[in-house]
Amino acid sequence: MSVYANEIAFIERTREFIKKHSKTENDKTFFLNCCVGLLIAPQQYTSRNQQQLSLGTVDIENWGIDMSKCTENKATKWSADSVENIAYHFRNSLCHYRFDVKDCNPNGTIENITIIDKASDDENAPTTFELTLSFDNFKKFVLKYADTLVEQLKQ
């Protein structure tokens, strides 16, 4: 049994919760709230325990991430186009409330999200990552990240 049994269960319960409750008027806001269980907590588990997982590189087809759209991307301890690097910046953006969903259509549905990460909490700190992508591609990345991480942690 994996030492990550509780972490895996947390991710899987969040996925089930989304399946049961995501067909609502505010499903994109609901999904952003579920990112705690799909992205933030899992990224922290692996980082805190210094798991050396290699989840590959991102691309538009499989991960929903078009690296040519990144206006800023400072690599961390991973390569700039690695899944781990993107997850790290996404996690920071959500945790520090540095994302923008102002591209809503007239009925208030979120169409795009801009993910921003900075070098520190200082408002004037340099930007280390910035990417605007469709909400569907954001969701695609987060779900694939969670699913891929669960597969890796079960080994």
Side-chain angles (χ1 to χ4, degrees):
M1 178 64 124
S2 167
V3 296
Y4 290 97
N6 291 335
E7 289 82 353
I8 292 169
F10 189 67
I11 296 167
E12 290 175 335
R13 285 193 309 270
T14 303
R15 287 284 275 145
E16 285 302 312
F17 197 66
I18 288 171
K19 286 179 189 174
K20 289 180 183 175
H21 303 286
S22 67
K23 302 295 182 211
T24 66
E25 180 180 321
N26 297 311
D27 64 331
K28 292 178 180 175
T29 301
F30 175 74
F31 183 80
L32 280 169
N33 288 310
C34 288
C35 282
V36 169
L38 298 172
L39 175 68
I40 297 168
Q43 195 280 330
Q44 283 300 109
Y45 298 144
T46 56
S47 178
R48 183 182 318 123
N49 293 295
Q50 299 180 344
Q51 284 286 92
Q52 297 300 316
L53 301 176
S54 179
L55 304 179
T57 58
V58 296
D59 59 41
I60 190 69
E61 183 181 333
N62 296 303
W63 290 90
I65 304 294
D66 182 352
M67 292 302 293
S68 70
K69 304 283 186 194
C70 280
T71 56
E72 191 67 53
N73 184 12
K74 300 280 192 259
T76 53
K77 61 183 175 182
W78 306 281
S79 66
D81 63 348
S82 71
V83 172
E84 295 85 354
N85 188 58
I86 302 303
Y88 171 82
H89 288 301
F90 276 29
R91 174 246 175 246
N92 287 350
S93 175
L94 295 174
C95 285
H96 298 282
Y97 197 64
R98 290 192 189 110
F99 61 94
D100 189 353
V101 292
K102 68 180 179 184
D103 293 333
C104 296
N105 65 26
N107 67 2
T109 303
I110 299 168
E111 297 296 327
N112 297 298
I113 184 168
T114 299
I115 301 294
I116 301 165
D117 191 13
K118 291 188 170 265
S120 73
D121 285 335
D122 182 346
E123 190 174 306
N124 298 316
T127 299
T128 58
F129 183 86
E130 186 167 344
L131 173 65
T132 298
L133 66 164
S134 73
F135 197 89
D136 290 341
N137 280 340
F138 169 75
K139 186 174 180 179
K140 180 179 186 174
F141 175 83
V142 171
L143 292 174
K144 184 168 176 76
Y145 175 75
D147 292 345
T148 304
L149 202 54
V150 165
E151 289 173 20
Q152 291 280 325
L153 293 175
K154 283 184 176 180
Q155 295 180 3

